[in-house]
Amino acid sequence: MSTKAFELAKETFASFGVDVEAAIEKLQNIPVAVHCWQGDDVGGFDHEGALTGGIQTTGNYPGKATTPEQLMADMDKALSLCPGKKKLNVHACYAIFEDGFVDRDKLEPKHFKKWVEFAKERGMGIDFNPTFFSHPMQKDGLTLSHPDKEVRDFWIEHGKACIRISQYFAEETGIPCVMNIWTGDGFKDIPADRMGPRMRYRDSIEQILSEPFDFAKVKPCVESKVFGIGVEAYTAGSAEFALSIAAMNKDRCLPLMDNGHYHPTEVVSDKIPALLCFFDEIALHVTRGIRWDSDHVVVLDDETKEIAKEIVRCNALDRTYIALDYFDASINRISAWVVGFRSFQKALLMALCTPNAALKKLQDESNFTELMVMQEEAKMLPFGAVWAEYCERCGVAADTSWFTEIKEYEKEILSKR
Ligand code: RNT
Ligand code: ZN
């Protein structure tokens, strides 16, 4: 039963030409991928030891998941507190070895059977990521761009194995699988050869993409980055590199933008409409960098809202694969999942309830004074009442009572690990 506040809000939005019922319905069908790696600080199950290779988690909050069962249970808890449509995002290092360990170049679909069961039981598709870090074959900070062919070949085989696993995910779930290639390949200090590693990186990615797959089902992406920890001077997979390789292989590859991977004054919200002019589909990692690619939990800040607005305004909801990508080890990890997911849902809801058509008209008529007035006015529309109604319809709490559940889970389960 909808509240009085919602009915009033609906009228207000209608007077701005916004149909909130349509917005709510749309939002319920926008898949957002939830990254398994928030649950264990990007640990995985195929190795002991630290996260290496250009990324870092900080913090040591108690209760981290250390087994597939724990990670799945924690994810379930998080998913149950989030409204909207979810997709599962798994990294190759989360392989589950039931009949013996194999290295990353030998991974097979069977090592992810449990994840498929988990996703199917919850009606989710699966996105996938080869893991080019936290492994001894990452040598001298390099994988696919290493000068030694043996190193490159190991990682090319890993990439190909992941294509086959992605195809399996898509076939099992009936939902396309986005497979994202990100490596931290780079140098700590000024290199003498910037092009060589990129030529090798290009060749390696193209070899991975030569593995047969159905592009309607598997969506390989290349994710760029400006720099990583320990490799501050040079990154092989720079923005220009990643965009160009996707553009040159448009029949089998998409660009992926992570909003933590650019210079601090660059914004992905402005890059989305630029790429949509050239690519049929694009992929995003939504994160929150503070001063660097710190991967803080996504909150409802201006850029998060702007990213959601661009996807909606460009009418690109079915051309944009949205995934969350952050890892905060300093707070309750389940809460981190929930805050990030709910924040992006709020951003999408606000985008869908913004009078985009009316604002665009003002711009096209060069009515910039009124455009400013209306854009500011739109910020104060009663989004909260619509959010509450949306949560109610999705069967989750609109207020912070979800956090009470997390505190109980922490007391009953996490604190006993
Ligand atoms: C790293 C990239 C990459 C990773 C995941 C774990 O900077 O953002 O996407 O976060 O693959
Ligand atoms: Zn990312």
Side-chain angles (χ1 to χ4, degrees), residues 110-173:
K110 68 174 183 188
H111 301 119
F112 296 89
K113 195 170 142 268
K114 286 231 164 118
W115 285 113
V116 165
E117 285 163 12
F118 179 81
K120 278 167 89 172
E121 279 161 17
R122 288 151 188 80
M124 298 189 286
I126 310 178
D127 286 347
F128 197 45
N129 308 260
T131 309
F132 296 102
F133 51 81
S134 301
H135 191 283
M137 276 303 266
Q138 184 192 42
K139 294 202 193 269
D140 318 300
L142 304 174
T143 59
L144 291 172
S145 70
H146 199 282
D148 182 348
K149 185 170 182 299
E150 199 189 317
V151 174
R152 292 201 303 281
D153 284 349
F154 174 85
W155 290 111
I156 291 166
E157 284 311 312
H158 176 53
K160 289 182 173 182
C162 288
I163 295 253
R164 296 190 290 270
I165 294 162
S166 299
Q167 178 88 23
Y168 157 73
F169 285 159
E171 274 161 13
E172 284 288 329
T173 61

Side-chain angles (χ1 to χ4, degrees), residues 37 42 55 91 133 180 182 223 225 258 261 285 293 325 327:
W37 53 92
V42 208
I55 48 176
H91 239 284
F133 51 81
N180 179 45
W182 172 76
E223 178 181 12
K225 187 155 176 167
D258 178 314
H261 290 192
H285 274 180
D293 182 33
D325 180 22
F327 21 95

Side-chain angles (χ1 to χ4, degrees), residues 23 26-27 30 272-273 276 284 305-318 320 322 344-357:
K26 224 176 197 170
L27 183 53
I30 304 171
I272 291 168
L276 287 170
L284 298 178
K305 288 187 225 171
E306 214 56 31
I307 286 173
K309 261 196 251 171
E310 282 305 330
I311 303 169
V312 169
R313 288 200 281 231
C314 295
N315 207 4
L317 282 165
D318 54 357
T320 310
I322 306 168
F344 202 67
Q345 289 283 301
K346 288 177 189 164
L348 284 168
L349 183 70
M350 292 174 86
L352 290 163
C353 291
T354 295
N356 295 310

Side-chain angles (χ1 to χ4, degrees), residues 214 336 384:
D214 178 353

Side-chain angles (χ1 to χ4, degrees), residues 326-339:
Y326 53 80
F327 21 95
D328 192 335
S330 74
I331 55 176
N332 181 301
R333 294 172 184 81
I334 301 170
S335 183
W337 260 321
V338 176
V339 169

